[in-house]
Amino acid sequence: TKANLALYSATKTRFQDKSNLILIKYNYGSKIELVMKAVVYTEYAPDDNFAKILKVQDIDDPKPKADEVVFEVKSAALNYNDIWGMRGQPVPVPLPHVSGSDAAGDVIAIGEDVKNIKIGDKVVSHSNMSCRVCKACTDGREFDCTKRMIWGFQTGPTWGAFSEVTHLPEVNISKIPEKVSYDEAAAASMTLLTSWHMLVGRAKIKPGQTVLIMGGGSGVGSFGIQIAKFYQCDVIATAIP
């Protein structure tokens, strides 16, 4: 009934724009649950008819675990794994699903064990989730961790960037430099790290080498060009006109 629902504008703690409202469910005075909007799908679209499965729905606001950071999403980028997720191939993602592996925003809550992030910080996600204790992780090769998962792709249900608010462990959060926008940070979140991993981590490029970047107009490719130039390499790039 209408008596069980109320709209509350949290202009000081969460939203500055009064048009953004939080839906609060009252369980007859016993418990209050905050609800947020998210893009959710409950089935796959192997035919690529993504409009058929994507729905804006209310889901519960995240509550931080001891080591987690909760942030209001200001910008989120589209990654190709979002398309894989909606297709259900090559990896069947958990359902119901909220996609999104690249997000930037403002911290609104932290867990009791969080040390280096505070409420109000501008942050960006690091979607590579690994165990942090195996030989690969402790050798700086977290991409080779056998327990590695990609946040917003393999995580869930309903745990990704395409929501008003999301949460991550502190180790998967970085502060955004002052002169970097939310859009720029979200766009770089996974593509920059992928390029760095390929060129610096694996190829171990050195000054004076010639580096061929396939698909120089893509996210990974554009960052690859910049990284190679930063390492004083000669760059040859390909792109489709």
Side-chain angles (χ1 to χ4, degrees):
T1 65
K2 291 183 178 179
N4 294 329
L5 297 175
L7 289 174
Y8 176 74
S9 178
T11 57
K12 290 184 178 180
T13 59
R14 177 164 167 189
F15 293 115
Q16 296 301 317
D17 181 355
K18 291 184 179 180
S19 66
N20 288 313
L21 299 174
I22 304 173
L23 182 64
I24 302 180
K25 291 182 178 178
Y26 289 94
N27 293 328
Y28 300 99
S30 60
K31 184 180 180 181
I32 298 177
E33 296 179 351
L34 295 181
V35 180
M36 63 178 176
K37 298 292 184 183
V39 179
V40 183
Y41 58 91
T42 59
E43 60 181 311
Y44 303 129
D47 59 353
D48 286 2
N49 187 0
F50 304 136
K52 178 184 67 176
I53 64 171
L54 294 174
K55 308 293 181 184
V56 176
Q57 297 181 355
D58 293 325
I59 63 173
D60 290 341
D61 259 25
K63 299 174 180 61
K65 296 178 182 177
D67 66 339
E68 285 190 335
V69 172
V70 178
F71 62 99
E72 179 188 351
V73 176
K74 294 290 189 179
S75 184
L78 183 67
N79 196 289
Y80 207 84
N81 65 27
D82 300 319
I83 296 175
W84 288 340
M86 290 184 289
R87 288 174 177 167
Q89 298 175 1
V91 178
V93 301
L95 296 175
H97 198 75
V98 173
S99 286
S101 301
D102 313 71
D106 295 330
V107 176
I108 59 174
I110 57 174
E112 58 187 12
D113 293 339
V114 173
K115 303 298 183 185
N116 300 311
I117 301 292
K118 65 181 184 300
I119 293 174
D121 281 347
K122 291 175 58 177
V123 297
V124 63
S125 61
H126 169 42
S127 59
N128 193 62
M129 308 184 76
S130 58
C131 75
R132 304 283 173 172
V133 296
C134 69
K135 187 177 188 320
C137 285
T138 55
D139 283 347
R141 296 181 294 105
E142 62 180 40
F143 288 89
D144 295 325
C145 176
T146 58
K147 296 183 179 179
R148 173 178 175 255
M149 298 181 70
I150 300 300
W151 171 65
F153 177 45
Q154 295 162 294
T155 56
T158 62
W159 187 19
F162 299 155
S163 53
E164 290 182 314
V165 174
T166 192
H167 61 108
L168 278 168
E170 183 182 13
V171 295
N172 290 95
I173 289 289
S174 294
K175 293 180 183 179
I176 300 175
E178 186 175 341
K179 294 183 179 181
V180 177
S181 70
Y182 295 112
D183 287 351
E184 290 168 336
S189 173
M190 185 179 288
T191 50
L192 173 58
L193 296 179
T194 301
S195 297
W196 186 274
H197 173 60
M198 290 191 297
L199 293 175
V200 181
R202 289 191 167 176
K204 303 186 187 306
I205 57 174
K206 295 178 175 59
Q209 291 181 323
T210 299
V211 178
L212 173 63
I213 306 291
M214 305 293 289
S218 67
V220 172
S222 60
F223 279 116
I225 293 171
Q226 295 175 71
I227 292 168
K229 296 297 288 185
F230 176 75
Y231 269 77
Q232 299 179 17
C233 296
D234 294 322
V235 177
I236 301 172
T238 68
I240 299 175

